[in-house]
């Protein structure tokens, strides 16, 4: 029987989406689902909700088992063909709070802090050791499994897995699928959605919409550029940073404006506080979301668990599509995060983690060659890739000096702080994270 293991199954809503998709897919639904987490209550909640969906949409065909705690991790993984990763090491409290509050003392303000910035660096450094443990277990009990990584910081974690483990890994994000659709809807160009053709490539959360044509092959970018500039001048909205990218850089990118506000040295600047209002940047956005989610979860989980009619419709997440393509040998195209082996994007080093179109079929995941990006897009990506590669190096060496170097080369941190303050901040963060960063010296 096909076995699918979900690491971090206490991420109930996401587990419901991915595994609900599996149960809606004829080629996958007669499977064994292994739910793994270190939080017993959340694990049980996820199991109950998924069992209801299994009964209602899948006639109970899937076998669902739970595995609690590190001591049961290897059994959760044993014999798996696919492993989905959605862990969050350190939770909101204490680690996310630390990642926001200590940098704030040094004048460094963040919005999301899960991809780049000092928050992204810290998140990677506490997550990579856990994922390295997963890889060691997988190499022993399911060496041929595909590891589908959804955990951020995507490029750092996926890049580490691909470079330093033997596990077949691809990083998956939600933002590629909805990029051009969201843009056209925001600009009142819904009539161009059907039959459109696009190319997206770059790095995770800064993949560039390199071309967009309507069904007849007409270039949509001239009209997009005109409307985006007009919209930014006329009104406040939630995508002003990316629309400014279109104006200043010429291209739109995959992840939201609140994310991209902190991936560069342009928009969050202590010397220019007016930019926060001008570009409608939601500082401390991720903590706000976490607090609301935690407050709402009790009621939401109760309703989900008590709903005997709970159902599911297949989502747009890539995970079940990849599994289906590999199992059936029916090819699909996805946007995947992979190593830049063979210079898929010719501007970047081979050990960078890039986000490019990939073909998936019975033989696995096959990244496609993109070539050179527009110079300004490549330059923007490289400022992020530098930090990603230095953070992966710090995770490999486990040396404090390498963490400091990663922070020194991070665009937003470097623009705001002196080297002395960066060193002090890193030391304080390592100490505050305690056991989560105890392996670094």
């Amino acid at each position: 029987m096909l076995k699918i293991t979900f690491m971090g199954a206490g991420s109930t809503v996401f587990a419901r989406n991915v595994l609900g998709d599996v149960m809606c897919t004829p080629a996958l639904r007669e499977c064994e689902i292994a739910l793994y987490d270190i939080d017993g209550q959340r694990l049980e909640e996820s199991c109950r909700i998924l069992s209801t969906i299994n009964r209602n949409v899948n006639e109970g065909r899937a076998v669902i088992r739970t595995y609690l705690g590190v001591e049961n991790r290897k059994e959760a993984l044993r014999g798996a063909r696919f492993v989905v990763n959605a862990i969050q090491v350190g939770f909101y409290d204490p680690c996310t709070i630390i990642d926001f509050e200590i940098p704030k003392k040094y004048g460094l303000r963040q919005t999301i802090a899960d991809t780049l910035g000092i928050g992204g660096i810290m998140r990677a450094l506490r997550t990579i050791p856990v994922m390295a443990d997963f890889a060691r277990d997988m190499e022993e009990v399911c060496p041929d499994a595909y590891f589908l990584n959804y955990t951020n910081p995507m490029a750092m974690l996926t890049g580490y897995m691909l470079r330093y483990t033997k596990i077949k890994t691809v990083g998956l994000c939600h933002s590629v699928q909805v990029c051009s659709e969201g843009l056209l809807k925001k600009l009142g160009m819904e009539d161009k959605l059907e039959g459109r053709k696009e190319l997206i490539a770059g790095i995770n959360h800064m993949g560039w919409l390199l071309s967009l044509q309507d069904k007849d092959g007409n270039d949509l970018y001239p009209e997009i550029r005109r409307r985006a500039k007009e919209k930014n001048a006329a009104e406040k909205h939630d995508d002003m940073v990316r629309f400014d990218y279109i104006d200043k850089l010429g291209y739109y990118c995959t992840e939201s404006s609140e994310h991209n506000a902190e991936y560069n040295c342009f928009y969050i600047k202590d010397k220019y506080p007016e930019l926060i209002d001008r570009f409608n940047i939601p500082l401390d956005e991720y903590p706000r979301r976490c607090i609301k989610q935690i407050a709402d979860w009790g009621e939401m989980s109760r309703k989900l668990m008590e709903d005997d009619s709970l159902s599911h419709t297949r989502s747009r997440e890539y995970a079940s599509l990849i599994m289906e393509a590999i199992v059936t040998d029916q090819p699909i195209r996805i946007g995947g995060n992979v190593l830049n082996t063979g210079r898929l994007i010719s501007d970047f080093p081979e050990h960078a983690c890039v986000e490019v179109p990939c073909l998936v079929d019975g033989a696995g995941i096959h990244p496609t060659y993109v070539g050179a990006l527009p110079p300004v897009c490549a330059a923007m990506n490289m400022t992020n890739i530098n930090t990603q590669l230095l953070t992966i190096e710090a995770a490999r060496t486990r040396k404090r000096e390498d963490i400091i170097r990663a922070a020194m080369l991070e665009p937003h941190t470097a623009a705001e702080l002196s080297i002395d303050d960066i060193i002090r901040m890193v030391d304080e963060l390592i100490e505050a994270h305690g056991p989560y960063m105890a392996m670094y010296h």
Side-chain angles (χ1 to χ4, degrees):
M1 180 182 278
L2 173 68
K3 182 173 178 180
I4 300 165
T5 300
F6 197 106
M7 311 298 283
S11 304
T12 304
V13 174
F14 187 62
R16 173 190 172 182
N17 280 344
V18 168
L19 297 173
D21 290 350
V22 166
M23 296 178 206
C24 291
T25 306
L28 305 175
R29 60 192 181 192
E30 291 185 20
C31 64
E32 177 186 344
I33 293 172
L35 304 176
Y36 170 80
D37 208 280
I38 60 172
D39 183 323
Q41 180 180 338
R42 293 295 295 263
L43 184 62
E44 179 58 29
E45 289 169 349
S46 291
C47 183
R48 286 180 59 182
I49 290 165
L50 287 164
S51 296
T52 302
I53 293 172
N54 186 35
R55 184 173 65 249
N56 292 342
V57 307
N58 196 26
E59 299 178 358
R61 291 183 182 92
V63 176
I64 302 174
R65 297 189 171 97
T66 59
Y67 298 84
L68 175 63
V70 175
E71 63 274 17
N72 292 305
R73 184 176 67 206
K74 200 175 287 187
E75 283 310 306
L77 291 165
R78 189 178 301 279
R81 184 144 185 214
F82 300 100
V83 178
V84 180
N85 185 53
I87 63 171
Q88 182 181 356
V89 176
F91 308 103
Y92 165 68
D93 187 358
C95 286
T96 297
I97 294 172
I98 291 168
D99 284 346
F100 273 84
E101 292 304 313
I102 288 176
K104 203 181 291 183
K105 287 169 49 179
Y106 291 84
L108 196 57
R109 298 172 297 170
Q110 301 172 95
T111 52
I112 305 293
D114 73 349
T115 298
L116 208 71
I118 190 63
I121 292 170
M122 290 294 137
R123 183 179 280 234
L125 292 173
R126 63 178 178 265
T127 307
I128 285 173
V130 176
M131 286 176 57
D133 288 342
F134 290 179
R136 277 188 287 273
D137 285 351
M138 290 178 68
E139 287 166 4
E140 179 182 339
V141 301
C142 57
D144 296 322
Y146 289 90
F147 190 79
L148 311 182
N149 179 47
Y150 277 99
T151 296
N152 285 321
M154 177 62 64
M156 299 184 199
L157 304 185
T158 304
Y160 181 91
M161 289 290 287
L162 287 166
R163 288 173 65 189
Y164 295 115
T165 80
K166 298 174 183 176
I167 300 303
K168 293 181 289 192
T169 301
V170 64
L172 304 173
C173 189
H174 328 278
S175 58
V176 176
Q177 300 97 306
V178 299
C179 177
S180 64
E181 178 184 345
L183 174 61
L184 293 174
K185 286 180 176 178
K186 287 171 184 174
L187 294 177
M189 297 172 67
E190 292 91 341
D191 59 314
K192 305 298 184 185
L193 285 169
E194 189 176 346
R196 71 192 185 280
K197 304 172 189 71
E198 65 184 41
L199 174 62
I200 294 174
I203 60 172
N204 180 243
H205 286 184
M206 201 190 280
W208 300 101
L209 182 60
L210 296 171
S211 65
L212 183 61
Q213 300 171 328
D214 67 15
K215 64 181 187 300
D216 299 317
N218 299 305
D219 183 5
L220 295 178
Y221 250 126
E223 183 65 9
I224 287 170
R225 291 183 180 112
R226 185 185 70 78
R227 292 194 186 200
K229 188 166 186 174
E230 283 184 0
K231 188 175 176 74
N232 259 17
E235 62 181 274
K236 285 276 176 62
H237 59 94
D238 66 0
D239 207 12
M240 298 188 76
V241 167
R242 283 196 295 175
F243 281 19
D244 199 49
Y245 274 17
I246 296 172
D247 182 43
K248 303 300 192 304
L249 308 176
Y251 296 88
Y252 192 63
C253 80
T254 48
E255 188 48 80
S256 61
S257 280
E258 65 264 22
H259 272 273
N260 270 274
E262 65 181 5
Y263 298 165
N264 54 65
C265 51
F266 306 139
Y267 301 103
I268 305 174
K269 299 175 81 70
D270 183 58
K271 193 176 175 182
Y272 301 93
E274 69 276 7
L275 294 175
I276 302 302
D277 179 65
R278 178 179 162 191
F279 288 101
N280 205 23
I281 295 169
L283 296 173
D284 297 326
E285 173 66 13
Y286 187 65
R288 266 194 302 278
R289 290 181 193 175
C290 290
I291 291 166
K292 184 177 190 312
Q293 186 179 41
I294 291 165
D296 293 347
W297 175 245
E299 179 65 16
M300 185 190 301
S301 65
R302 184 185 62 78
K303 286 181 178 177
L304 288 171
M305 285 191 290
E306 291 176 358
D307 184 359
D308 290 334
S309 64
L310 193 63
S311 188
H312 184 78
T313 302
R314 198 171 184 183
S315 76
R316 296 170 69 176
E317 297 291 353
Y318 282 138
S320 71
L321 298 172
I322 291 170
M323 296 177 200
E324 183 182 28
I326 290 172
V327 167
T328 65
D329 196 24
Q330 295 296 308
I332 61 161
R333 189 180 83 163
I334 66 163
N337 289 270
V338 296
L339 276 193
N340 195 37
T341 305
R343 296 289 178 95
L344 302 166
I345 297 179
S346 55
D347 309 276
F348 304 153
E350 290 212 343
H351 47 284
C353 183
V354 296
E355 193 167 69
V356 295
C358 301
L359 173 74
V360 186
D361 62 13
I365 299 166
H366 317 283
T368 62
Y369 176 80
V370 174
L373 300 184
V376 70
C377 296
M380 285 287 289
N381 284 164
M382 275 307 305
T383 66
N384 285 222
I385 289 170
N386 290 332
T387 300
Q388 292 162 2
L389 295 180
L390 288 169
T391 302
I392 290 170
E393 179 66 3
R396 185 188 71 82
T397 65
R398 300 197 171 179
K399 290 183 178 178
R400 168 184 164 276
E401 65 199 56
D402 287 327
I403 301 174
I404 291 166
R405 289 166 182 159
M408 285 168 55
L409 270 293
E410 198 285 311
H412 179 210
T413 304
E416 294 283 77
L417 303 185
S418 69
I419 292 177
D420 288 342
D421 275 351
I422 290 171
I423 293 169
R424 282 191 284 269
M425 179 179 66
V426 166
D427 284 345
E428 192 170 343
L429 282 163
I430 291 171
E431 183 177 356
H433 280 303
Y436 294 104
M437 295 284 286
M439 65 288 296
Y440 297 97
H441 52 84

